[in-house]
Amino acid sequence: MRGIPIASMVIGIASSPAARRQLAQLLGDTEAFLIVSSVDQAREFLGGVEAPSAPPARPPLPVVVGEVVAGPEPSASPPALVVDSDRRVVRWRDREIELTRLEHDLLLCLVGAPGQIWTYERLHLTVWGNEHLGRGSDIHSVVRRIRRKLATLDASATIDAVRGVGFRFASA
């Protein structure tokens, strides 16, 4: 690979605005740098790079869709769909079901931004780590399996298809 310039970039992770400012000052002499607030943002920027095989320093928090409302009756609060990344399961009320890696990663994308449309291209890049080619039967197959599992749980959350564009998650 002679003659090909190698570009380098420093990616800094800082969770608070003050820490990001301090990190920007420290990296000020660096040719190129990016500061993000989480490891997940860094992975998203890098195009879905898989995590290293070593366990993370702290386990990721499950993604919860829904709202828990304090009140006298437990039935007054809407149920939440929970994607547990540690165990790779989806939980609805008191029931849960296992997910494959592709199902987990795709569902995590969708529930992370309820109502937002994820294009086929963006889902393919984020979940599979490569560019979307063809008619999207691989994405449709995974969505069909997730829908079946949500139906098995009797979850009222759905994955809506946006014809010719992609999918979006709709919580109850």
Side-chain angles (χ1 to χ4, degrees):
M1 293 186 30
R2 277 188 234 149
I4 300 174
I6 298 175
S8 62
M9 174 185 273
V10 175
I11 299 177
I13 301 172
S15 59
S16 72
R20 286 192 290 274
R21 280 191 296 275
Q22 183 179 12
L23 191 55
Q25 289 173 345
L26 290 172
L27 296 172
D29 294 332
T30 307
E31 191 171 308
F33 64 90
L34 170 71
I35 300 175
V36 294
S37 60
S38 70
V39 173
D40 292 332
Q41 279 186 332
R43 284 193 193 116
E44 185 177 345
F45 173 79
L46 293 171
V49 174
E50 291 292 328
S53 58
R58 63 181 177 136
L61 298 173
V63 174
V64 179
V65 177
E67 182 179 329
V68 179
V69 179
E73 295 181 75
S75 62
S77 65
L81 181 76
V82 177
V83 177
D84 185 339
S85 292
D86 288 339
R87 297 177 45 233
R88 203 182 287 160
V89 297
V90 62
R91 189 171 34 256
W92 176 259
R93 296 184 178 162
D94 61 340
R95 300 174 67 199
E96 65 183 29
I97 196 161
E98 291 183 9
L99 299 169
T100 66
R101 184 194 68 80
L102 292 175
E103 292 166 348
H104 168 269
D105 293 354
L106 194 143
L107 186 58
L108 200 58
C109 289
L110 296 174
V111 300
Q116 175 184 338
I117 299 171
W118 279 71
T119 65
Y120 297 122
E121 291 79 13
R122 186 171 172 212
L123 280 170
H124 216 279
L125 187 61
T126 304
V127 176
W128 279 264
N130 56 26
E131 292 193 25
H132 170 73
L133 300 172
R135 297 177 29 223
S137 58
D138 48 357
I139 294 176
H140 286 276
S141 174
V142 174
V143 168
R144 185 174 25 249
R145 292 193 322 252
I146 295 170
R147 285 175 173 160
R148 233 182 276 138
K149 290 181 178 187
L150 291 176
T152 301
L153 294 174
D154 293 324
S156 61
T158 60
I159 298 175
D160 298 330
V162 181
R163 189 178 183 113
V165 179
F167 294 96
R168 80 172 140 230
F169 180 80
S171 59

